[in-house]
Amino acid sequence: MILWFRHLPRLNIDLAEWNPFIKNNWFREHFMKFVYLLQIIILLMPNFFYIGFGSLNIFTLFLLGILILIPHELLHIIVINKKGNISLTFRGVFFWLHTDAILSKTRFWIFMSLPLIVLSVVPALFSFLASGNIKSTLLIISWINLLISAADIINSFLIAIKPKNSIFYRGYYRVEKN
């Protein structure tokens, strides 16, 4: 079941067994500042590579952002569909997906990384084979999705450095014993 713009019920877990996904309190409190910094860096990337998107006005970029956000979120949903309930909420301009499913390290990493791979890495790679307007379109899609994926990029890295047998549940993780 997908809950649109409502939070899932409060979780009831034994905090003696589960650790916060981001253990460091300072980093947890300032996580979004790192996301904003990454977004600023991504926003400036076309200037570093001399790729100009100057012909696009703000309205067009905003419309493209919405058109890319929809498949981005759908790719997240596909990974966790039928694993548990899903809640799509937002805070400011950020959308957040939450689930009450317990996810393995692999599934959680795929959940965080699939939209990045499909909508940023793949179009960027295909842009090397294209030219003209198709190349520009692929690079714009890749760039906008990178902006959208800033939190996912950081989370994917954090998932990758967790122990091998980790399982994840709503902002917490624990290591399964074999």
Side-chain angles (χ1 to χ4, degrees), residues 90-118:
F90 67 95
R91 186 178 339 160
V93 296
F94 289 97
F95 285 85
W96 302 100
L97 273 175
H98 299 281
T99 182
D100 58 6
I102 294 176
L103 301 173
S104 68
K105 179 178 178 174
T106 303
R107 185 173 289 272
F108 193 45
W109 186 84
I110 291 170
F111 168 74
M112 280 295 162
S113 303
L114 186 64
L116 175 68
I117 294 166
V118 171

Short mmCIF file of all heavy atoms in Angstrom, two decimals, residues 90-118:
data_model
loop_
_atom_site.label_atom_id
_atom_site.label_comp_id
_atom_site.label_asym_id
_atom_site.label_seq_id
_atom_site.Cartn_x
_atom_site.Cartn_y
_atom_site.Cartn_z
N PHE A 90 6.91 14.80 1.68
CA PHE A 90 7.84 15.82 1.24
C PHE A 90 8.10 16.81 2.36
O PHE A 90 7.31 16.96 3.27
CB PHE A 90 7.36 16.55 -0.02
CG PHE A 90 6.14 17.39 0.20
CD1 PHE A 90 6.26 18.75 0.47
CD2 PHE A 90 4.87 16.84 0.14
CE1 PHE A 90 5.14 19.52 0.67
CE2 PHE A 90 3.75 17.61 0.34
CZ PHE A 90 3.88 18.96 0.61
N ARG A 91 9.27 17.42 2.27
CA ARG A 91 9.64 18.50 3.19
C ARG A 91 10.33 19.54 2.32
O ARG A 91 11.38 19.27 1.74
CB ARG A 91 10.57 18.00 4.27
CG ARG A 91 10.86 19.04 5.32
CD ARG A 91 11.75 18.58 6.44
NE ARG A 91 11.79 17.14 6.58
CZ ARG A 91 12.75 16.50 7.21
NH1 ARG A 91 13.73 17.15 7.76
NH2 ARG A 91 12.74 15.19 7.30
N GLY A 92 9.74 20.73 2.23
CA GLY A 92 10.28 21.76 1.34
C GLY A 92 10.16 21.30 -0.10
O GLY A 92 9.09 20.96 -0.56
N VAL A 93 11.28 21.25 -0.79
CA VAL A 93 11.27 20.79 -2.18
C VAL A 93 11.72 19.33 -2.31
O VAL A 93 11.84 18.81 -3.41
CB VAL A 93 12.16 21.69 -3.08
CG1 VAL A 93 11.62 23.10 -3.14
CG2 VAL A 93 13.60 21.67 -2.60
N PHE A 94 11.98 18.67 -1.18
CA PHE A 94 12.47 17.30 -1.21
C PHE A 94 11.34 16.30 -0.98
O PHE A 94 10.51 16.49 -0.11
CB PHE A 94 13.55 17.08 -0.14
CG PHE A 94 14.83 17.77 -0.46
CD1 PHE A 94 15.12 19.01 0.07
CD2 PHE A 94 15.74 17.18 -1.32
CE1 PHE A 94 16.30 19.65 -0.25
CE2 PHE A 94 16.93 17.81 -1.63
CZ PHE A 94 17.20 19.06 -1.10
N PHE A 95 11.34 15.23 -1.78
CA PHE A 95 10.40 14.14 -1.61
C PHE A 95 11.14 12.99 -0.94
O PHE A 95 12.30 12.73 -1.23
CB PHE A 95 9.86 13.68 -2.97
CG PHE A 95 8.86 14.61 -3.55
CD1 PHE A 95 9.26 15.71 -4.30
CD2 PHE A 95 7.50 14.43 -3.33
CE1 PHE A 95 8.34 16.58 -4.82
CE2 PHE A 95 6.57 15.30 -3.85
CZ PHE A 95 6.99 16.39 -4.59
N TRP A 96 10.45 12.31 -0.03
CA TRP A 96 11.04 11.21 0.71
C TRP A 96 10.13 9.99 0.61
O TRP A 96 8.93 10.09 0.78
CB TRP A 96 11.21 11.58 2.18
CG TRP A 96 12.05 12.78 2.39
CD1 TRP A 96 11.62 14.05 2.65
CD2 TRP A 96 13.47 12.85 2.35
NE1 TRP A 96 12.68 14.89 2.76
CE2 TRP A 96 13.83 14.20 2.59
CE3 TRP A 96 14.47 11.92 2.14
CZ2 TRP A 96 15.15 14.61 2.61
CZ3 TRP A 96 15.78 12.35 2.17
CH2 TRP A 96 16.10 13.67 2.40
N LEU A 97 10.73 8.87 0.33
CA LEU A 97 10.02 7.59 0.35
C LEU A 97 10.43 6.85 1.61
O LEU A 97 11.62 6.75 1.92
CB LEU A 97 10.40 6.73 -0.85
CG LEU A 97 9.61 6.95 -2.12
CD1 LEU A 97 10.19 6.10 -3.23
CD2 LEU A 97 8.16 6.65 -1.95
N HIS A 98 9.46 6.36 2.33
CA HIS A 98 9.71 5.55 3.52
C HIS A 98 8.97 4.23 3.33
O HIS A 98 7.92 4.18 2.69
CB HIS A 98 9.19 6.23 4.78
CG HIS A 98 9.82 7.55 5.05
ND1 HIS A 98 11.06 7.68 5.62
CD2 HIS A 98 9.39 8.81 4.83
CE1 HIS A 98 11.37 8.95 5.73
NE2 HIS A 98 10.36 9.66 5.26
N THR A 99 9.52 3.19 3.89
CA THR A 99 8.85 1.90 3.87
C THR A 99 8.96 1.25 5.24
O THR A 99 9.89 1.54 5.99
CB THR A 99 9.44 0.96 2.79
OG1 THR A 99 8.72 -0.26 2.78
CG2 THR A 99 10.92 0.68 3.02
N ASP A 100 8.01 0.38 5.53
CA ASP A 100 8.10 -0.36 6.78
C ASP A 100 8.68 -1.76 6.56
O ASP A 100 8.66 -2.59 7.44
CB ASP A 100 6.74 -0.43 7.49
CG ASP A 100 5.67 -1.06 6.64
OD1 ASP A 100 5.96 -1.57 5.53
OD2 ASP A 100 4.50 -1.04 7.08
N ALA A 101 9.24 -1.98 5.37
CA ALA A 101 9.86 -3.27 5.04
C ALA A 101 11.28 -3.33 5.59
O ALA A 101 11.97 -2.32 5.66
CB ALA A 101 9.89 -3.47 3.53
N ILE A 102 11.68 -4.51 6.00
CA ILE A 102 13.07 -4.75 6.37
C ILE A 102 13.79 -5.13 5.08
O ILE A 102 13.40 -6.06 4.38
CB ILE A 102 13.19 -5.85 7.43
CG1 ILE A 102 12.54 -5.38 8.73
CG2 ILE A 102 14.64 -6.24 7.64
CD1 ILE A 102 12.51 -6.42 9.83
N LEU A 103 14.86 -4.38 4.75
CA LEU A 103 15.56 -4.57 3.48
C LEU A 103 16.98 -5.05 3.71
O LEU A 103 17.67 -4.57 4.61
CB LEU A 103 15.60 -3.25 2.70
CG LEU A 103 14.25 -2.62 2.36
CD1 LEU A 103 14.44 -1.25 1.73
CD2 LEU A 103 13.44 -3.52 1.45
N SER A 104 17.41 -5.98 2.88
CA SER A 104 18.79 -6.44 2.93
C SER A 104 19.69 -5.31 2.42
O SER A 104 19.22 -4.35 1.80
CB SER A 104 18.98 -7.67 2.04
OG SER A 104 18.82 -7.31 0.67
N LYS A 105 20.97 -5.46 2.68
CA LYS A 105 21.92 -4.44 2.24
C LYS A 105 21.85 -4.27 0.73
O LYS A 105 21.82 -3.15 0.22
CB LYS A 105 23.34 -4.82 2.67
CG LYS A 105 24.38 -3.82 2.22
CD LYS A 105 25.78 -4.19 2.70
CE LYS A 105 26.79 -3.19 2.19
NZ LYS A 105 28.12 -3.43 2.73
N THR A 106 21.80 -5.37 -0.01
CA THR A 106 21.75 -5.31 -1.47
C THR A 106 20.49 -4.60 -1.96
O THR A 106 20.55 -3.71 -2.80
CB THR A 106 21.83 -6.73 -2.06
OG1 THR A 106 23.03 -7.35 -1.60
CG2 THR A 106 21.81 -6.70 -3.57
N ARG A 107 19.33 -5.00 -1.42
CA ARG A 107 18.08 -4.39 -1.87
C ARG A 107 18.02 -2.91 -1.50
O ARG A 107 17.56 -2.09 -2.27
CB ARG A 107 16.86 -5.12 -1.29
CG ARG A 107 15.55 -4.53 -1.87
CD ARG A 107 14.35 -5.32 -1.46
NE ARG A 107 14.26 -6.60 -2.08
CZ ARG A 107 13.66 -6.84 -3.26
NH1 ARG A 107 13.12 -5.85 -3.91
NH2 ARG A 107 13.60 -8.04 -3.74
N PHE A 108 18.52 -2.57 -0.31
CA PHE A 108 18.50 -1.17 0.10
C PHE A 108 19.44 -0.35 -0.77
O PHE A 108 19.12 0.78 -1.16
CB PHE A 108 18.86 -1.04 1.58
CG PHE A 108 18.58 0.30 2.17
CD1 PHE A 108 17.39 0.97 1.94
CD2 PHE A 108 19.51 0.91 2.99
CE1 PHE A 108 17.13 2.22 2.49
CE2 PHE A 108 19.26 2.16 3.55
CZ PHE A 108 18.07 2.80 3.29
N TRP A 109 20.61 -0.91 -1.13
CA TRP A 109 21.53 -0.21 -2.01
C TRP A 109 20.90 -0.03 -3.40
O TRP A 109 21.00 1.05 -3.99
CB TRP A 109 22.86 -0.94 -2.11
CG TRP A 109 23.86 -0.15 -2.89
CD1 TRP A 109 24.66 0.85 -2.42
CD2 TRP A 109 24.15 -0.27 -4.28
NE1 TRP A 109 25.42 1.36 -3.45
CE2 TRP A 109 25.12 0.69 -4.60
CE3 TRP A 109 23.66 -1.09 -5.30
CZ2 TRP A 109 25.63 0.85 -5.89
CZ3 TRP A 109 24.15 -0.92 -6.58
CH2 TRP A 109 25.13 0.03 -6.87
N ILE A 110 20.25 -1.07 -3.90
CA ILE A 110 19.57 -0.95 -5.19
C ILE A 110 18.44 0.08 -5.11
O ILE A 110 18.25 0.88 -6.02
CB ILE A 110 19.04 -2.33 -5.67
CG1 ILE A 110 20.22 -3.24 -6.03
CG2 ILE A 110 18.10 -2.18 -6.87
CD1 ILE A 110 19.84 -4.68 -6.28
N PHE A 111 17.70 0.07 -4.00
CA PHE A 111 16.64 1.04 -3.78
C PHE A 111 17.19 2.47 -3.90
O PHE A 111 16.59 3.33 -4.54
CB PHE A 111 16.01 0.82 -2.40
CG PHE A 111 15.10 1.91 -1.94
CD1 PHE A 111 13.84 2.07 -2.49
CD2 PHE A 111 15.50 2.78 -0.93
CE1 PHE A 111 12.99 3.08 -2.05
CE2 PHE A 111 14.65 3.79 -0.48
CZ PHE A 111 13.40 3.94 -1.06
N MET A 112 18.33 2.74 -3.29
CA MET A 112 18.92 4.07 -3.33
C MET A 112 19.60 4.37 -4.66
O MET A 112 19.61 5.52 -5.09
CB MET A 112 19.95 4.24 -2.20
CG MET A 112 19.37 4.53 -0.87
SD MET A 112 18.57 6.12 -0.89
CE MET A 112 17.57 5.95 0.56
N SER A 113 20.17 3.38 -5.31
CA SER A 113 21.03 3.62 -6.47
C SER A 113 20.37 3.44 -7.83
O SER A 113 20.87 4.00 -8.81
CB SER A 113 22.25 2.70 -6.40
OG SER A 113 22.93 2.90 -5.20
N LEU A 114 19.29 2.69 -7.92
CA LEU A 114 18.70 2.40 -9.23
C LEU A 114 18.32 3.66 -10.00
O LEU A 114 18.68 3.77 -11.19
CB LEU A 114 17.49 1.46 -9.08
CG LEU A 114 16.88 0.97 -10.40
CD1 LEU A 114 17.89 0.12 -11.16
CD2 LEU A 114 15.62 0.18 -10.13
N PRO A 115 17.63 4.65 -9.40
CA PRO A 115 17.33 5.85 -10.18
C PRO A 115 18.58 6.61 -10.63
O PRO A 115 18.61 7.16 -11.73
CB PRO A 115 16.50 6.71 -9.21
CG PRO A 115 15.94 5.74 -8.24
CD PRO A 115 16.98 4.67 -8.09
N LEU A 116 19.61 6.60 -9.81
CA LEU A 116 20.86 7.24 -10.17
C LEU A 116 21.49 6.55 -11.38
O LEU A 116 21.93 7.20 -12.33
CB LEU A 116 21.82 7.22 -8.98
CG LEU A 116 23.23 7.75 -9.22
CD1 LEU A 116 23.20 9.24 -9.49
CD2 LEU A 116 24.12 7.43 -8.04
N ILE A 117 21.50 5.23 -11.35
CA ILE A 117 22.10 4.46 -12.45
C ILE A 117 21.29 4.62 -13.73
O ILE A 117 21.83 4.93 -14.80
CB ILE A 117 22.24 2.98 -12.06
CG1 ILE A 117 23.25 2.83 -10.93
CG2 ILE A 117 22.63 2.12 -13.25
CD1 ILE A 117 23.23 1.48 -10.23
N VAL A 118 19.96 4.43 -13.64
CA VAL A 118 19.11 4.43 -14.83
C VAL A 118 18.95 5.83 -15.43
O VAL A 118 18.94 5.98 -16.65
CB VAL A 118 17.72 3.82 -14.50
CG1 VAL A 118 16.74 4.01 -15.64
CG2 VAL A 118 17.87 2.35 -14.16
#
